[in-house]
Amino acid sequence: SDALDLGSPDWKDPMDNSNAWYTLNTENTEWEFDDGALRMRAKSTDKPEEWGLSSKPAMSDYFLQATVKTGDCAGLDRYGMLVRAPDPSMGYVFEFSCDGRYRLYKWDGEEYAAIQEWKSSAAIKGGSDQTNVLGIWLQGETIRLYANSQLLAEYEDDMFDEGRFGLVIGADQTEGFEVFVDEVAYWILED
């Protein structure tokens, strides 16, 4: 289903290979493209979440959507997206948790600043082996968050006006927490 009746996306990646991504492989986080999806794995629960960027260029106003299936998970095991990253260590981070919550924060390279602390939503399917579609709308200072094409909330923030996007994972309860990213797409928003 097309997000918000925006028509066909300007770009869509079925995640069959890593062509549009810098594959993350660190001490704690491992990305692997396999069987038509990106498997993101967080090995340990006592490490910070990590993200990896797409190789697509910096953009300002766009709607970004990712279809993600959880593996075994609990609590605040979390996954999502980084947007408007002016460099790989900064940007807005939008995440869902295994227990059906969402949050939005900004990271300036050193400090976490919450725009929305963890909040429950019936629009998010909680639990293991669930598929959710995260969507984030960025237009000027307006940020809108979506779960499965339902509007969660709208915010105003002007810290980052342009940048790259990426994908995020972090484990809170489950050693070796995995999610499977089946598709990522974006729509450029005209003024």
Side-chain angles (χ1 to χ4, degrees):
S1 65
D2 284 343
L4 321 181
D5 299 319
L6 291 173
S8 297
D10 289 282
W11 177 80
K12 181 164 77 173
D13 189 348
M15 306 303 278
D16 292 335
N17 57 55
S18 63
N19 289 355
W21 302 91
Y22 296 105
T23 304
L24 197 60
N25 199 338
T26 67
E27 182 187 348
N28 191 52
T29 307
E30 180 182 82
W31 285 20
E32 186 178 13
F33 287 81
D34 185 41
D35 201 24
L38 162 62
R39 179 176 64 91
M40 295 197 292
R41 183 166 182 260
K43 298 172 194 173
S44 169
T45 56
D46 59 4
K47 299 277 197 305
E49 60 201 27
E50 294 185 76
W51 49 74
L53 291 183
S54 164
S55 57
K56 303 301 280 185
M59 302 183 294
S60 292
D61 294 343
Y62 55 99
F63 179 74
L64 177 68
Q65 184 173 276
T67 304
V68 185
K69 182 180 182 219
T70 54
D72 290 339
C73 68
L76 290 178
D77 291 336
R78 59 202 180 272
Y79 57 93
M81 45 183 55
L82 168 78
V83 295
R84 281 189 179 170
D87 74 41
S89 67
M90 305 180 180
Y92 295 113
V93 178
F94 169 41
E95 295 173 313
F96 286 177
S97 66
C98 184
D99 62 7
R101 290 185 269 177
Y102 66 94
R103 74 169 170 180
L104 175 68
Y105 68 88
K106 46 190 173 181
W107 181 257
D108 68 3
E110 294 180 359
E111 285 191 39
Y112 166 99
I115 299 171
Q116 172 64 62
E117 293 284 14
W118 287 116
K119 184 176 182 179
S120 291
S121 171
I124 301 169
K125 297 173 198 154
S128 304
D129 304 315
Q130 296 289 336
T131 298
N132 283 292
V133 181
L134 300 91
I136 187 165
W137 172 289
L138 303 152
Q139 195 163 33
E141 296 178 11
T142 302
I143 303 173
R144 294 188 191 123
L145 306 181
Y146 291 84
N148 302 307
S149 297
Q150 292 186 53
L151 179 65
L152 294 169
E154 179 175 313
Y155 310 91
E156 299 288 320
D157 193 88
D158 64 359
M159 182 174 240
F160 302 115
D161 59 2
E162 160 176 284
R164 312 265 288 286
F165 65 87
L167 296 166
V168 183
I169 187 167
D172 178 67
Q173 300 283 316
T174 308
E175 299 280 333
F177 169 54
E178 292 181 343
V179 298
F180 303 87
V181 185
D182 191 45
E183 185 184 282
V184 177
Y186 65 69
W187 291 253
I188 301 293
L189 302 173
E190 307 302 334
D191 290 339

PDB file of all heavy atoms in Angstrom, residues 147-163:
ATOM      1  N   ALA A 147       3.160   4.879  12.004  1.00  0.00           N
ATOM      2  CA  ALA A 147       3.282   3.433  12.207  1.00  0.00           C
ATOM      3  C   ALA A 147       2.221   2.768  11.352  1.00  0.00           C
ATOM      4  O   ALA A 147       1.022   3.031  11.518  1.00  0.00           O
ATOM      5  CB  ALA A 147       3.064   3.066  13.675  1.00  0.00           C
ATOM      6  N   ASN A 148       2.649   1.958  10.407  1.00  0.00           N
ATOM      7  CA  ASN A 148       1.708   1.224   9.556  1.00  0.00           C
ATOM      8  C   ASN A 148       0.690   2.161   8.927  1.00  0.00           C
ATOM      9  O   ASN A 148      -0.510   1.909   8.925  1.00  0.00           O
ATOM     10  CB  ASN A 148       1.055   0.099  10.368  1.00  0.00           C
ATOM     11  CG  ASN A 148       2.104  -0.846  10.923  1.00  0.00           C
ATOM     12  OD1 ASN A 148       2.944  -1.351  10.179  1.00  0.00           O
ATOM     13  ND2 ASN A 148       2.110  -1.051  12.228  1.00  0.00           N
ATOM     14  N   SER A 149       1.218   3.287   8.411  1.00  0.00           N
ATOM     15  CA  SER A 149       0.458   4.334   7.711  1.00  0.00           C
ATOM     16  C   SER A 149      -0.501   5.121   8.601  1.00  0.00           C
ATOM     17  O   SER A 149      -1.295   5.902   8.101  1.00  0.00           O
ATOM     18  CB  SER A 149      -0.300   3.768   6.506  1.00  0.00           C
ATOM     19  OG  SER A 149       0.625   3.250   5.563  1.00  0.00           O
ATOM     20  N   GLN A 150      -0.419   4.938   9.906  1.00  0.00           N
ATOM     21  CA  GLN A 150      -1.220   5.754  10.834  1.00  0.00           C
ATOM     22  C   GLN A 150      -0.330   6.813  11.472  1.00  0.00           C
ATOM     23  O   GLN A 150       0.766   6.505  11.942  1.00  0.00           O
ATOM     24  CB  GLN A 150      -1.815   4.888  11.945  1.00  0.00           C
ATOM     25  CG  GLN A 150      -2.875   3.908  11.469  1.00  0.00           C
ATOM     26  CD  GLN A 150      -3.505   3.200  12.662  1.00  0.00           C
ATOM     27  OE1 GLN A 150      -3.973   3.829  13.599  1.00  0.00           O
ATOM     28  NE2 GLN A 150      -3.512   1.880  12.620  1.00  0.00           N
ATOM     29  N   LEU A 151      -0.822   8.045  11.508  1.00  0.00           N
ATOM     30  CA  LEU A 151      -0.076   9.137  12.121  1.00  0.00           C
ATOM     31  C   LEU A 151       0.031   8.913  13.625  1.00  0.00           C
ATOM     32  O   LEU A 151      -0.984   8.740  14.315  1.00  0.00           O
ATOM     33  CB  LEU A 151      -0.769  10.473  11.835  1.00  0.00           C
ATOM     34  CG  LEU A 151      -0.107  11.718  12.436  1.00  0.00           C
ATOM     35  CD1 LEU A 151       1.269  11.965  11.836  1.00  0.00           C
ATOM     36  CD2 LEU A 151      -1.005  12.945  12.232  1.00  0.00           C
ATOM     37  N   LEU A 152       1.243   8.916  14.135  1.00  0.00           N
ATOM     38  CA  LEU A 152       1.471   8.788  15.576  1.00  0.00           C
ATOM     39  C   LEU A 152       1.491  10.153  16.243  1.00  0.00           C
ATOM     40  O   LEU A 152       0.882  10.360  17.288  1.00  0.00           O
ATOM     41  CB  LEU A 152       2.812   8.097  15.848  1.00  0.00           C
ATOM     42  CG  LEU A 152       2.949   6.645  15.414  1.00  0.00           C
ATOM     43  CD1 LEU A 152       4.408   6.207  15.502  1.00  0.00           C
ATOM     44  CD2 LEU A 152       2.057   5.748  16.272  1.00  0.00           C
ATOM     45  N   ALA A 153       2.240  11.094  15.666  1.00  0.00           N
ATOM     46  CA  ALA A 153       2.418  12.400  16.296  1.00  0.00           C
ATOM     47  C   ALA A 153       3.115  13.332  15.324  1.00  0.00           C
ATOM     48  O   ALA A 153       3.703  12.892  14.334  1.00  0.00           O
ATOM     49  CB  ALA A 153       3.244  12.266  17.566  1.00  0.00           C
ATOM     50  N   GLU A 154       3.049  14.626  15.645  1.00  0.00           N
ATOM     51  CA  GLU A 154       3.726  15.648  14.845  1.00  0.00           C
ATOM     52  C   GLU A 154       4.509  16.552  15.776  1.00  0.00           C
ATOM     53  O   GLU A 154       4.047  16.875  16.876  1.00  0.00           O
ATOM     54  CB  GLU A 154       2.705  16.464  14.055  1.00  0.00           C
ATOM     55  CG  GLU A 154       3.327  17.558  13.222  1.00  0.00           C
ATOM     56  CD  GLU A 154       2.318  18.299  12.350  1.00  0.00           C
ATOM     57  OE1 GLU A 154       1.497  17.627  11.690  1.00  0.00           O
ATOM     58  OE2 GLU A 154       2.356  19.543  12.353  1.00  0.00           O
ATOM     59  N   TYR A 155       5.703  16.956  15.331  1.00  0.00           N
ATOM     60  CA  TYR A 155       6.597  17.792  16.129  1.00  0.00           C
ATOM     61  C   TYR A 155       7.176  18.890  15.245  1.00  0.00           C
ATOM     62  O   TYR A 155       7.136  18.801  14.025  1.00  0.00           O
ATOM     63  CB  TYR A 155       7.754  16.954  16.699  1.00  0.00           C
ATOM     64  CG  TYR A 155       7.294  15.696  17.385  1.00  0.00           C
ATOM     65  CD1 TYR A 155       7.182  14.500  16.678  1.00  0.00           C
ATOM     66  CD2 TYR A 155       6.932  15.700  18.725  1.00  0.00           C
ATOM     67  CE1 TYR A 155       6.726  13.345  17.300  1.00  0.00           C
ATOM     68  CE2 TYR A 155       6.478  14.552  19.353  1.00  0.00           C
ATOM     69  CZ  TYR A 155       6.376  13.370  18.633  1.00  0.00           C
ATOM     70  OH  TYR A 155       5.917  12.234  19.244  1.00  0.00           O
ATOM     71  N   GLU A 156       7.744  19.893  15.918  1.00  0.00           N
ATOM     72  CA  GLU A 156       8.493  20.932  15.215  1.00  0.00           C
ATOM     73  C   GLU A 156       9.904  20.932  15.797  1.00  0.00           C
ATOM     74  O   GLU A 156      10.074  20.972  17.023  1.00  0.00           O
ATOM     75  CB  GLU A 156       7.860  22.318  15.446  1.00  0.00           C
ATOM     76  CG  GLU A 156       6.428  22.453  14.941  1.00  0.00           C
ATOM     77  CD  GLU A 156       6.338  22.491  13.426  1.00  0.00           C
ATOM     78  OE1 GLU A 156       7.203  23.138  12.797  1.00  0.00           O
ATOM     79  OE2 GLU A 156       5.411  21.873  12.875  1.00  0.00           O
ATOM     80  N   ASP A 157      10.900  20.874  14.927  1.00  0.00           N
ATOM     81  CA  ASP A 157      12.278  20.949  15.398  1.00  0.00           C
ATOM     82  C   ASP A 157      13.150  21.442  14.254  1.00  0.00           C
ATOM     83  O   ASP A 157      12.929  21.072  13.095  1.00  0.00           O
ATOM     84  CB  ASP A 157      12.780  19.593  15.893  1.00  0.00           C
ATOM     85  CG  ASP A 157      14.085  19.736  16.663  1.00  0.00           C
ATOM     86  OD1 ASP A 157      14.010  19.956  17.882  1.00  0.00           O
ATOM     87  OD2 ASP A 157      15.162  19.645  16.042  1.00  0.00           O
ATOM     88  N   ASP A 158      14.146  22.265  14.573  1.00  0.00           N
ATOM     89  CA  ASP A 158      14.960  22.864  13.509  1.00  0.00           C
ATOM     90  C   ASP A 158      16.453  22.565  13.631  1.00  0.00           C
ATOM     91  O   ASP A 158      17.261  23.226  13.002  1.00  0.00           O
ATOM     92  CB  ASP A 158      14.735  24.376  13.471  1.00  0.00           C
ATOM     93  CG  ASP A 158      15.209  25.063  14.748  1.00  0.00           C
ATOM     94  OD1 ASP A 158      15.686  24.370  15.673  1.00  0.00           O
ATOM     95  OD2 ASP A 158      15.105  26.305  14.822  1.00  0.00           O
ATOM     96  N   MET A 159      16.814  21.554  14.424  1.00  0.00           N
ATOM     97  CA  MET A 159      18.252  21.301  14.601  1.00  0.00           C
ATOM     98  C   MET A 159      18.919  20.845  13.307  1.00  0.00           C
ATOM     99  O   MET A 159      19.998  21.305  12.964  1.00  0.00           O
ATOM    100  CB  MET A 159      18.487  20.262  15.683  1.00  0.00           C
ATOM    101  CG  MET A 159      19.981  20.014  15.933  1.00  0.00           C
ATOM    102  SD  MET A 159      20.285  18.905  17.335  1.00  0.00           S
ATOM    103  CE  MET A 159      21.238  19.984  18.363  1.00  0.00           C
ATOM    104  N   PHE A 160      18.294  19.907  12.600  1.00  0.00           N
ATOM    105  CA  PHE A 160      18.876  19.378  11.359  1.00  0.00           C
ATOM    106  C   PHE A 160      17.904  19.628  10.211  1.00  0.00           C
ATOM    107  O   PHE A 160      16.740  19.256  10.293  1.00  0.00           O
ATOM    108  CB  PHE A 160      19.129  17.870  11.487  1.00  0.00           C
ATOM    109  CG  PHE A 160      20.033  17.500  12.636  1.00  0.00           C
ATOM    110  CD1 PHE A 160      19.555  16.751  13.690  1.00  0.00           C
ATOM    111  CD2 PHE A 160      21.356  17.901  12.653  1.00  0.00           C
ATOM    112  CE1 PHE A 160      20.379  16.398  14.757  1.00  0.00           C
ATOM    113  CE2 PHE A 160      22.197  17.556  13.716  1.00  0.00           C
ATOM    114  CZ  PHE A 160      21.696  16.811  14.764  1.00  0.00           C
ATOM    115  N   ASP A 161      18.403  20.262   9.143  1.00  0.00           N
ATOM    116  CA  ASP A 161      17.490  20.560   8.028  1.00  0.00           C
ATOM    117  C   ASP A 161      17.775  19.714   6.796  1.00  0.00           C
ATOM    118  O   ASP A 161      16.996  19.723   5.845  1.00  0.00           O
ATOM    119  CB  ASP A 161      17.505  22.046   7.673  1.00  0.00           C
ATOM    120  CG  ASP A 161      18.890  22.546   7.276  1.00  0.00           C
ATOM    121  OD1 ASP A 161      19.851  21.731   7.234  1.00  0.00           O
ATOM    122  OD2 ASP A 161      19.023  23.746   7.008  1.00  0.00           O
ATOM    123  N   GLU A 162      18.880  18.984   6.813  1.00  0.00           N
ATOM    124  CA  GLU A 162      19.235  18.174   5.647  1.00  0.00           C
ATOM    125  C   GLU A 162      20.235  17.123   6.074  1.00  0.00           C
ATOM    126  O   GLU A 162      20.976  17.318   7.037  1.00  0.00           O
ATOM    127  CB  GLU A 162      19.811  19.088   4.555  1.00  0.00           C
ATOM    128  CG  GLU A 162      20.635  18.396   3.529  1.00  0.00           C
ATOM    129  CD  GLU A 162      21.110  19.317   2.412  1.00  0.00           C
ATOM    130  OE1 GLU A 162      20.290  19.660   1.543  1.00  0.00           O
ATOM    131  OE2 GLU A 162      22.293  19.668   2.405  1.00  0.00           O
ATOM    132  N   GLY A 163      20.249  16.015   5.359  1.00  0.00           N
ATOM    133  CA  GLY A 163      21.262  15.005   5.638  1.00  0.00           C
ATOM    134  C   GLY A 163      20.899  13.658   5.057  1.00  0.00           C
ATOM    135  O   GLY A 163      19.896  13.491   4.374  1.00  0.00           O
TER     136      GLY A 163
END
